[in-house]
Protein backbone atom coordinates (compact mmCIF):
# COMPACT_ATOMS: atom_id res chain seq x y z
CA UNK A 1 0.00 0.00 0.00
CA UNK A 2 2.82 2.37 0.93
CA UNK A 3 4.70 1.71 -2.30
CA UNK A 4 1.53 2.37 -4.32
CA UNK A 5 1.09 5.74 -2.65
CA UNK A 6 4.75 6.55 -3.30
CA UNK A 7 4.42 5.67 -6.99
CA UNK A 8 1.27 7.80 -7.21
CA UNK A 9 3.14 10.75 -5.67
CA UNK A 10 6.00 10.47 -8.15
CA UNK A 11 3.50 10.24 -11.03
CA UNK A 12 1.50 13.33 -9.92
CA UNK A 13 4.51 15.50 -9.03
CA UNK A 14 5.71 16.05 -12.67
CA UNK A 15 2.18 17.13 -13.62
CA UNK A 16 2.09 19.66 -10.78
CA UNK A 17 5.50 21.03 -11.74
CA UNK A 18 4.51 21.20 -15.41
CA UNK A 19 1.30 23.01 -14.53
CA UNK A 20 3.16 25.59 -12.43
CA UNK A 21 5.56 26.19 -15.34
CA UNK A 22 2.72 27.31 -17.57
CA UNK A 23 2.96 30.82 -16.15
CA UNK A 24 0.63 33.22 -14.42
CA UNK A 25 -1.93 33.60 -17.21
CA UNK A 26 -3.38 30.36 -18.59
CA UNK A 27 -5.42 32.36 -21.10
CA UNK A 28 -2.32 33.67 -22.89
CA UNK A 29 -2.29 33.48 -26.71
CA UNK A 30 0.12 34.88 -29.29
CA UNK A 31 0.70 35.20 -33.01
CA UNK A 32 4.14 35.50 -34.60
CA UNK A 33 3.58 37.05 -38.05
CA UNK A 34 5.71 35.19 -40.60
CA UNK A 35 5.11 37.58 -43.49
CA UNK A 36 6.65 40.54 -41.63
CA UNK A 37 10.09 38.92 -41.58
CA UNK A 38 12.66 38.46 -38.84
CA UNK A 39 15.39 40.48 -37.21
CA UNK A 40 18.81 39.19 -36.22
CA UNK A 41 20.03 38.79 -32.67
CA UNK A 42 21.89 41.81 -31.24
CA UNK A 43 20.74 43.97 -34.16
CA UNK A 44 19.56 47.59 -34.07
CA UNK A 45 15.98 46.34 -34.39
CA UNK A 46 16.34 44.21 -31.28
CA UNK A 47 17.88 47.12 -29.40
CA UNK A 48 14.92 49.32 -30.33
CA UNK A 49 12.48 46.61 -29.32
CA UNK A 50 14.23 46.21 -25.97
CA UNK A 51 13.97 49.98 -25.47
CA UNK A 52 10.22 49.78 -25.98
CA UNK A 53 9.93 46.82 -23.61
CA UNK A 54 11.88 48.72 -20.97
CA UNK A 55 9.69 51.83 -21.25
CA UNK A 56 6.52 49.75 -21.36
CA UNK A 57 7.25 47.78 -18.19
CA UNK A 58 8.40 50.82 -16.20
CA UNK A 59 6.08 53.53 -17.51
CA UNK A 60 5.13 55.86 -14.62
CA UNK A 61 1.87 57.09 -16.15
CA UNK A 62 -1.21 54.88 -16.31
CA UNK A 63 -2.83 56.77 -19.21
CA UNK A 64 -6.02 54.70 -18.89
CA UNK A 65 -3.98 51.58 -19.62
CA UNK A 66 -3.18 52.55 -23.22
CA UNK A 67 0.36 53.01 -24.55
CA UNK A 68 1.62 53.99 -28.01
CA UNK A 69 5.42 53.71 -28.19
CA UNK A 70 8.07 53.85 -30.90
CA UNK A 71 11.84 53.63 -31.09
CA UNK A 72 14.56 53.92 -33.73
CA UNK A 73 14.71 54.98 -37.34
CA UNK A 74 13.96 53.12 -40.56
CA UNK A 75 14.69 50.41 -41.47
CA UNK A 76 14.91 49.42 -37.81
CA UNK A 77 11.99 51.48 -36.56
CA UNK A 78 9.68 49.69 -34.09
CA UNK A 79 6.14 50.68 -33.15
CA UNK A 80 4.19 49.15 -30.28
CA UNK A 81 0.69 49.45 -28.86
CA UNK A 82 -0.32 48.08 -25.47
CA UNK A 83 -3.79 48.08 -23.97
CA UNK A 84 -4.89 46.92 -20.54
CA UNK A 85 -8.43 45.95 -19.73
CA UNK A 86 -10.34 48.98 -18.51
CA UNK A 87 -11.32 47.41 -15.19
CA UNK A 88 -7.67 46.87 -14.15
CA UNK A 89 -5.65 49.30 -12.02
CA UNK A 90 -2.09 50.43 -12.76
CA UNK A 91 -0.38 47.72 -10.72
CA UNK A 92 -2.43 44.99 -12.40
CA UNK A 93 -1.76 46.53 -15.79
CA UNK A 94 2.00 46.70 -15.21
CA UNK A 95 2.06 43.12 -13.98
CA UNK A 96 0.17 41.91 -17.04
CA UNK A 97 2.43 43.79 -19.45
CA UNK A 98 5.57 42.49 -17.75
CA UNK A 99 4.33 38.92 -18.03
CA UNK A 100 3.25 39.42 -21.64
CA UNK A 101 6.65 40.81 -22.62
CA UNK A 102 8.31 37.82 -20.99
CA UNK A 103 6.04 35.39 -22.83
CA UNK A 104 6.56 37.02 -26.23
CA UNK A 105 10.34 37.03 -25.81
CA UNK A 106 10.17 33.26 -25.43
CA UNK A 107 7.40 32.35 -27.87
CA UNK A 108 8.16 34.71 -30.77
CA UNK A 109 11.91 35.35 -30.70
CA UNK A 110 13.33 37.33 -33.64
CA UNK A 111 9.91 38.03 -35.19
CA UNK A 112 9.48 41.64 -36.29
CA UNK A 113 5.69 41.59 -35.87
CA UNK A 114 3.91 39.93 -32.97
CA UNK A 115 0.54 40.07 -31.21
CA UNK A 116 0.06 38.76 -27.67
CA UNK A 117 -3.18 38.53 -25.69
CA UNK A 118 -3.20 37.97 -21.95
CA UNK A 119 -6.40 37.90 -19.94
CA UNK A 120 -5.96 41.49 -18.79
CA UNK A 121 -3.88 43.13 -21.54
CA UNK A 122 -2.87 43.06 -25.20
CA UNK A 123 0.54 43.90 -26.67
CA UNK A 124 1.52 44.16 -30.32
CA UNK A 125 4.56 45.49 -32.10
CA UNK A 126 5.79 45.78 -35.69
CA UNK A 127 8.09 47.74 -38.00
CA UNK A 128 5.11 49.58 -39.52
CA UNK A 129 2.42 51.99 -38.40
CA UNK A 130 -0.02 50.60 -35.85
CA UNK A 131 -1.61 53.67 -34.26
CA UNK A 132 -5.05 54.40 -35.67
CA UNK A 133 -5.04 51.30 -37.86
CA UNK A 134 -8.06 48.97 -37.67
CA UNK A 135 -6.75 45.39 -37.62
CA UNK A 136 -8.90 42.30 -37.21
CA UNK A 137 -6.29 39.65 -38.02
CA UNK A 138 -4.48 37.62 -36.96
CA UNK A 139 -6.94 36.45 -34.34
CA UNK A 140 -7.57 33.78 -31.76
CA UNK A 141 -10.44 32.17 -29.89
CA UNK A 142 -10.87 30.35 -26.58
CA UNK A 143 -14.04 28.76 -25.31
CA UNK A 144 -15.69 26.68 -22.62
CA UNK A 145 -16.37 23.10 -23.67
CA UNK A 146 -19.71 22.95 -21.85
CA UNK A 147 -22.93 23.70 -23.72
CA UNK A 148 -25.60 26.05 -22.42
CA UNK A 149 -29.19 25.08 -21.82
CA UNK A 150 -31.76 26.51 -24.23
CA UNK A 151 -29.05 27.52 -26.77
CA UNK A 152 -31.39 29.33 -29.17
CA UNK A 153 -32.59 31.69 -26.46
CA UNK A 154 -29.09 32.05 -25.02
CA UNK A 155 -27.56 32.93 -28.40
CA UNK A 156 -30.22 35.56 -29.03
CA UNK A 157 -29.74 37.17 -25.62
CA UNK A 158 -25.95 37.15 -26.04
CA UNK A 159 -26.21 38.65 -29.53
CA UNK A 160 -28.40 41.50 -28.27
CA UNK A 161 -26.13 42.09 -25.29
CA UNK A 162 -23.00 42.25 -27.46
CA UNK A 163 -24.69 44.56 -29.95
CA UNK A 164 -25.59 46.99 -27.16
CA UNK A 165 -22.16 46.80 -25.56
CA UNK A 166 -20.43 47.33 -28.90
CA UNK A 167 -22.36 50.55 -29.43
CA UNK A 168 -21.48 51.77 -25.93
CA UNK A 169 -17.80 50.93 -26.30
CA UNK A 170 -17.51 52.50 -29.75
CA UNK A 171 -18.96 55.76 -28.44
CA UNK A 172 -16.55 55.81 -25.53
CA UNK A 173 -14.29 58.57 -26.79
CA UNK A 174 -10.51 58.79 -27.36
CA UNK A 175 -9.47 57.65 -23.86
CA UNK A 176 -11.32 54.38 -23.45
CA UNK A 177 -13.65 52.20 -25.49
CA UNK A 178 -14.95 49.55 -23.12
CA UNK A 179 -18.32 48.24 -21.95
CA UNK A 180 -19.53 45.35 -19.77
CA UNK A 181 -22.93 44.19 -18.57
CA UNK A 182 -25.14 41.14 -18.10
CA UNK A 183 -28.54 39.85 -19.18
CA UNK A 184 -30.83 37.12 -17.91
CA UNK A 185 -31.74 34.04 -19.93
CA UNK A 186 -34.96 32.68 -18.50
CA UNK A 187 -35.27 32.59 -14.72
CA UNK A 188 -31.97 31.18 -13.48
CA UNK A 189 -29.40 31.79 -16.24
CA UNK A 190 -27.29 34.91 -16.57
CA UNK A 191 -24.88 35.78 -19.37
CA UNK A 192 -22.07 38.27 -18.72
CA UNK A 193 -20.17 39.99 -21.51
CA UNK A 194 -17.55 42.65 -22.06
CA UNK A 195 -16.04 44.28 -25.12
CA UNK A 196 -13.08 46.61 -25.61
CA UNK A 197 -11.43 48.40 -28.52
CA UNK A 198 -8.08 50.09 -28.80
CA UNK A 199 -9.01 53.75 -28.06
CA UNK A 200 -7.06 55.08 -31.05
CA UNK A 201 -9.82 53.73 -33.30
CA UNK A 202 -12.70 55.89 -34.43
CA UNK A 203 -16.25 55.11 -33.34
CA UNK A 204 -16.95 53.50 -36.72
CA UNK A 205 -13.74 51.46 -36.66
CA UNK A 206 -14.38 50.19 -33.15
CA UNK A 207 -17.89 49.11 -34.14
CA UNK A 208 -16.54 47.39 -37.25
CA UNK A 209 -13.87 45.54 -35.27
CA UNK A 210 -16.34 44.28 -32.68
CA UNK A 211 -18.73 43.25 -35.44
CA UNK A 212 -15.99 41.07 -36.94
CA UNK A 213 -15.25 39.64 -33.50
CA UNK A 214 -18.92 38.88 -32.87
CA UNK A 215 -19.19 37.15 -36.25
CA UNK A 216 -16.39 34.86 -35.09
CA UNK A 217 -18.60 33.36 -32.38
CA UNK A 218 -20.41 31.19 -34.92
CA UNK A 219 -17.22 29.42 -35.95
CA UNK A 220 -15.81 29.09 -32.46
CA UNK A 221 -18.13 29.05 -29.50
CA UNK A 222 -21.80 29.30 -30.46
CA UNK A 223 -23.88 28.00 -27.58
CA UNK A 224 -20.88 27.49 -25.28
CA UNK A 225 -20.78 28.64 -21.64
CA UNK A 226 -17.75 30.85 -22.18
CA UNK A 227 -16.06 32.52 -25.12
CA UNK A 228 -13.14 34.86 -25.80
CA UNK A 229 -12.70 36.27 -29.33
CA UNK A 230 -9.36 38.05 -29.70
CA UNK A 231 -8.38 40.52 -32.44
CA UNK A 232 -5.43 42.93 -32.55
CA UNK A 233 -7.66 46.01 -32.30
CA UNK A 234 -10.46 44.65 -30.09
CA UNK A 235 -11.77 41.69 -28.14
CA UNK A 236 -14.96 40.34 -26.64
CA UNK A 237 -15.59 37.90 -23.83
CA UNK A 238 -18.69 36.20 -22.49
CA UNK A 239 -19.45 33.88 -19.61
CA UNK A 240 -22.54 32.08 -18.39
CA UNK A 241 -23.72 31.14 -14.94
CA UNK A 242 -26.85 29.70 -13.38
CA UNK A 243 -27.06 32.45 -10.77
CA UNK A 244 -25.74 35.94 -10.16
CA UNK A 245 -22.20 35.85 -8.82
CA UNK A 246 -21.12 39.49 -8.83
CA UNK A 247 -19.21 41.43 -11.46
CA UNK A 248 -17.43 38.64 -13.29
CA UNK A 249 -15.48 41.12 -15.34
CA UNK A 250 -13.56 42.25 -12.25
CA UNK A 251 -12.13 38.78 -11.78
CA UNK A 252 -11.32 35.69 -13.78
CA UNK A 253 -13.73 34.95 -16.59
CA UNK A 254 -14.73 31.67 -14.94
CA UNK A 255 -13.26 28.50 -13.54
CA UNK A 256 -10.66 26.90 -15.78
CA UNK A 257 -11.95 23.43 -14.98
CA UNK A 258 -14.01 23.22 -18.16
CA UNK A 259 -13.13 26.53 -19.78
CA UNK A 260 -10.67 25.65 -22.49
CA UNK A 261 -10.39 22.84 -24.98
CA UNK A 262 -8.02 21.51 -27.59
CA UNK A 263 -9.29 22.27 -31.05
CA UNK A 264 -6.74 21.98 -33.82
CA UNK A 265 -6.99 23.23 -37.35
CA UNK A 266 -9.07 21.16 -39.81
CA UNK A 267 -5.92 19.94 -41.56
CA UNK A 268 -4.93 17.96 -38.47
CA UNK A 269 -8.40 16.40 -38.15
CA UNK A 270 -8.23 16.47 -34.36
CA UNK A 271 -11.28 16.14 -32.17
CA UNK A 272 -12.13 18.71 -29.51
CA UNK A 273 -11.10 17.35 -26.11
CA UNK A 274 -11.85 18.82 -22.70
CA UNK A 275 -8.63 20.00 -21.08
CA UNK A 276 -7.78 22.57 -18.39
CA UNK A 277 -5.05 24.33 -20.39
CA UNK A 278 -5.46 27.07 -23.01
CA UNK A 279 -5.54 26.10 -26.67
CA UNK A 280 -6.41 27.98 -29.82
CA UNK A 281 -9.18 27.59 -32.32
CA UNK A 282 -7.42 28.22 -35.64
CA UNK A 283 -10.22 29.88 -37.49
CA UNK A 284 -10.60 33.03 -39.52
CA UNK A 285 -6.89 33.82 -39.62
CA UNK A 286 -6.52 35.70 -42.88
CA UNK A 287 -3.18 37.21 -41.85
CA UNK A 288 -0.48 34.49 -42.06
CA UNK A 289 1.03 33.96 -38.67
CA UNK A 290 2.75 31.36 -36.59
CA UNK A 291 0.70 30.11 -33.67
CA UNK A 292 2.56 30.08 -30.38
CA UNK A 293 1.32 28.49 -27.21
CA UNK A 294 2.65 26.90 -24.09
CA UNK A 295 4.02 23.40 -24.08
CA UNK A 296 1.52 21.07 -22.43
CA UNK A 297 2.50 18.65 -19.68
CA UNK A 298 2.79 15.01 -20.68
CA UNK A 299 -0.45 13.21 -19.84
CA UNK A 300 -0.82 9.60 -18.70
CA UNK A 301 -1.78 7.15 -21.44
CA UNK A 302 -5.41 6.89 -20.38
CA UNK A 303 -5.85 10.68 -20.59
CA UNK A 304 -4.22 11.48 -23.92
CA UNK A 305 -6.30 13.54 -26.35
CA UNK A 306 -8.00 11.21 -28.78
CA UNK A 307 -7.40 12.19 -32.38
CA UNK A 308 -9.95 11.34 -35.02
Amino acid sequence: MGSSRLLLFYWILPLIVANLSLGADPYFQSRCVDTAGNYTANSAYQANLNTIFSHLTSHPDFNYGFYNLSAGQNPNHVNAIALCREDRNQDECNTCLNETVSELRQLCPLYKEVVGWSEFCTLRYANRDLFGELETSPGSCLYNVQDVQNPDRFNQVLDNLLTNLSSLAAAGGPLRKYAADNSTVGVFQIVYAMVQCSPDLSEQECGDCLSVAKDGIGGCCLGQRGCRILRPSCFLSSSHTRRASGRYYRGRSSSLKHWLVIKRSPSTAAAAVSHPYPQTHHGDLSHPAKTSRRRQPRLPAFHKPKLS
Side-chain angles (χ1 to χ4, degrees):
M1 185 69 175
S3 62
S4 297
R5 289 179 177 176
L6 185 61
L7 288 175
L8 180 62
F9 171 78
Y10 281 114
W11 176 79
I12 293 176
L13 182 60
L15 293 182
I16 296 175
V17 173
N19 192 22
L20 291 175
S21 69
L22 293 178
D25 187 357
Y27 292 93
F28 184 83
Q29 296 287 291
S30 63
R31 291 290 181 273
C32 320
V33 181
D34 293 313
T35 55
N38 301 88
Y39 62 86
T40 57
N42 302 315
S43 64
Y45 192 93
Q46 185 175 45
N48 292 332
L49 184 58
N50 288 338
T51 297
I52 284 180
F53 286 161
S54 178
H55 282 288
L56 188 63
T57 55
S58 60
H59 208 290
D61 299 321
F62 187 40
N63 196 34
Y64 295 94
F66 176 70
Y67 305 93
N68 173 36
L69 302 174
S70 63
Q73 303 294 326
N74 287 327
N76 297 305
H77 186 68
V78 184
N79 291 306
I81 283 183
L83 177 65
C84 290
R85 224 170 71 181
E86 192 273 340
D87 60 340
R88 301 293 109 181
N89 60 38
Q90 184 166 5
D91 288 340
E92 292 169 324
C93 180
N94 289 343
T95 296
C96 184
L97 292 175
N98 269 285
E99 293 173 352
T100 302
V101 166
S102 178
E103 292 286 356
L104 294 181
R105 286 183 188 274
Q106 298 179 55
L107 296 173
C108 297
L110 305 182
Y111 279 84
K112 286 188 173 182
E113 183 168 341
V114 172
V115 185
W117 299 271
S118 296
E119 184 175 12
F120 300 137
C121 64
T122 301
L123 171 61
R124 50 195 172 112
Y125 54 84
N127 62 332
R128 60 180 180 84
D129 290 337
L130 295 176
F131 186 84
E133 298 292 331
L134 168 60
E135 299 189 355
T136 58
S137 64
S140 186
C141 163
L142 303 174
Y143 61 97
N144 186 311
V145 69
Q146 295 182 322
D147 297 329
V148 299
Q149 296 179 349
N150 193 1
D152 291 338
R153 175 60 179 160
F154 174 86
N155 292 334
Q156 184 60 57
V157 170
L158 177 59
D159 183 79
N160 292 339
L161 178 59
L162 289 173
T163 297
N164 292 337
L165 293 179
S166 296
S167 297
L168 290 173
L175 297 179
R176 60 179 70 182
K177 286 181 166 60
Y178 169 91
D181 206 346
N182 66 81
S183 292
T184 57
V185 185
V187 178
F188 299 108
Q189 300 183 77
I190 298 177
V191 56
Y192 299 86
M194 68 177 144
V195 300
Q196 186 169 13
C197 291
S198 185
D200 55 308
L201 299 183
S202 67
E203 181 174 350
Q204 180 66 48
E205 289 169 333
C206 177
D208 290 345
C209 187
L210 291 172
S211 178
V212 171
K214 190 173 74 167
D215 288 345
I217 292 176
C220 168
C221 50
L222 191 66
Q224 306 301 129
R225 290 196 176 189
C227 182
R228 290 170 60 82
I229 303 291
L230 309 171
R231 304 295 180 183
S233 294
C234 66
F235 80 92
L236 66 81
S237 179
S238 67
S239 184
H240 162 278
T241 183
R242 288 178 179 270
R243 63 182 184 275
S245 57
R247 296 178 63 205
Y248 108 98
Y249 42 90
R250 269 296 305 171
R252 293 278 175 184
S253 298
S254 62
S255 170
L256 282 178
K257 182 177 180 181
H258 296 289
W259 224 94
L260 305 172
V261 300
I262 299 170
K263 188 175 178 98
R264 302 187 183 181
S265 58
S267 61
T268 62
V273 180
S274 177
H275 198 279
Y277 302 102
Q279 299 295 328
T280 304
H281 176 277
H282 298 188
D284 193 24
L285 301 181
S286 57
H287 195 152
K290 174 184 176 183
T291 301
S292 297
R293 57 194 180 201
R294 290 180 173 86
R295 183 171 58 187
Q296 304 302 325
R298 185 181 298 276
L299 301 177
F302 61 82
H303 197 197
K304 285 183 180 178
K306 181 179 180 182
L307 303 183
S308 59

